[in-house]
Amino acid sequence: MMAASAPGKLILFGEHAVVFGEPALSTAINLRAEVFARPHTEWLADGASIDEPRYRYVKAAIAKTKAKGPLWIEIRSMVPSGAGLGSSAAVTVATLGALHEMAGSLDAAGIAREAFEVEHEVQGRASPLDTSTATAGGGVLVLRERHDGLLWSIQRDQRHWFLHRQALPALDFVIGNTGISAATGPLVAKVKARVDRDPRAAEAIREIGQITLDGLRALQRKDLGTAGGLMERNHAILTDLGVGHPALDRLVKAARPSSFGAKLTGAGGGGSIVALTDRPEKTADAIRAAGGRAFVVQSDAVGVAKIG
């Protein structure tokens, strides 16, 4: 049996804008997905057919690696699905990690590129931020140009992303989950259609890119007040772009009195918010009182890794 794990992620700034080549910042978190693979008499995932829709990322990963089989694939994930925390990326990267281990290699850059292609094929349009964060661990900044700390670059059509390692201070983040699941692909397509027809939406995307760079600098100098204010502005822009939800706004409002700032994280339309706070338990209690599921997470420096 071969096995690998990969972390979930939080996008701190820049979701949706990253699809258009703008900067975005994420961090891996200490919620992980584990995937185990062993030879079997037929292709199965958790005892079910890999043709079931819920295993479409696993099936695409198998096809991408041309894995020899058949195999029994088992998935154990702490990353909640549909919560904006990179569950599909974590499972995709962990699956690729297990399959590459079976082939005798665990090349992070290669896994990151394959994982992006898998997400792009399944979702129709994607950025490499989720999958690169699950692969690399720690803080990851995506830019359209090469800078210091380059991890790898990924290209698709006319789009080119450069993924960079970014050191972030040790921080507590509170996740507030609405319990509302929303598929990433349609939300990304919705924003693209808006940007294509509305110059104001295109300008909003550019503003998110600048917010990302300002937010990174604020976090690195531990100016959490400024970082929190930028999170609030990022949330407002994403809501104006049509990927907000009343439940997200309710949780952001609940988190605000005990945090530096909060925003939706991930594709939106439901899913989760992230709050930056030095009073995590108080913020979590406020989110729960507003009807959300709350939990505290920290950054995880470990990306894709062999188990055992």
Side-chain angles (χ1 to χ4, degrees):
M1 179 181 288
M2 291 297 176
S5 71
K9 66 86 181 74
L10 280 175
I11 297 184
L12 301 177
F13 299 100
E15 47 269 274
H16 288 288
V18 66
V19 177
F20 299 90
E22 293 295 329
L25 176 68
S26 68
T27 180
I29 57 175
N30 57 342
L31 300 175
R32 300 182 70 88
E34 299 177 337
V35 173
F36 302 80
R38 61 179 173 84
H40 194 57
T41 55
E42 57 181 317
W43 285 102
L44 295 174
D46 296 333
S49 169
I50 63 168
D51 292 325
E52 291 192 11
R54 58 181 165 152
Y55 298 118
R56 59 194 183 278
Y57 292 95
V58 173
K59 184 178 180 181
I62 290 168
K64 185 64 61 179
T65 60
K66 299 181 174 62
K68 295 180 179 179
L71 299 172
W72 176 293
I73 306 290
E74 183 178 345
I75 303 157
R76 303 174 188 170
S77 182
M78 295 173 59
V79 188
S81 178
L85 303 179
S87 60
S88 65
V91 169
T92 298
V93 170
T95 301
L96 290 167
L99 297 176
H100 277 272
E101 262 304 301
M102 190 166 279
S105 66
L106 196 64
D107 169 50
I111 288 174
R113 294 187 179 102
E114 288 180 350
F116 165 68
E117 291 295 330
V118 167
E119 286 226 319
H120 197 285
E121 289 166 11
V122 173
Q123 296 177 6
R125 186 176 177 90
S127 89
L129 186 58
D130 285 18
T131 44
S132 284
T133 305
T135 304
V140 176
L141 176 70
V142 58
L143 298 168
R144 66 177 73 192
E145 299 170 347
R146 180 189 304 262
H147 288 272
D148 292 341
L150 182 70
L151 288 164
W152 45 71
S153 64
I154 293 177
Q155 187 168 1
R156 176 83 183 198
D157 303 322
Q158 302 303 313
R159 295 173 294 160
H160 203 159
W161 297 272
F162 294 89
L163 287 302
H164 299 79
R165 166 67 66 227
Q166 286 294 323
L168 296 174
L171 297 168
D172 285 328
F173 298 100
V174 178
I175 306 301
N177 183 234
T178 63
I180 299 167
S181 181
T184 298
L187 289 162
V188 171
K190 180 179 182 179
V191 173
K192 182 180 185 302
R194 177 84 174 268
V195 170
D196 287 346
R197 72 173 187 269
D198 186 352
R200 292 171 298 179
E203 179 58 34
I205 290 293
R206 289 189 288 272
E207 183 180 349
I208 291 174
Q210 186 58 53
I211 286 172
T212 297
L213 298 178
D214 293 342
L216 170 61
R217 288 189 285 266
L219 288 173
Q220 289 180 327
R221 65 177 184 265
K222 297 186 179 179
D223 182 356
L224 303 187
T226 295
L230 290 165
M231 290 173 72
E232 295 276 348
R233 176 58 184 157
N234 196 166
H235 178 79
I237 295 172
L238 290 169
T239 300
D240 287 344
L241 286 171
V243 295
H245 191 280
L248 290 168
D249 292 338
R250 185 171 64 250
L251 298 189
V252 166
K253 182 178 179 180
R256 191 172 287 134
S258 61
S259 68
F260 298 102
K263 60 180 281 293
L264 71 83
T265 184
S272 300
I273 69 156
V274 54
L276 176 63
T277 178
D278 58 359
R279 294 178 286 172
E281 293 306 325
K282 187 169 184 178
T283 303
D285 287 343
I287 289 170
R288 294 184 190 109
R293 178 188 172 210
F295 44 99
V296 182
V297 299
Q298 293 83 33
S299 293
D300 188 344
V302 179
V304 63
K306 178 181 176 182
I307 298 174

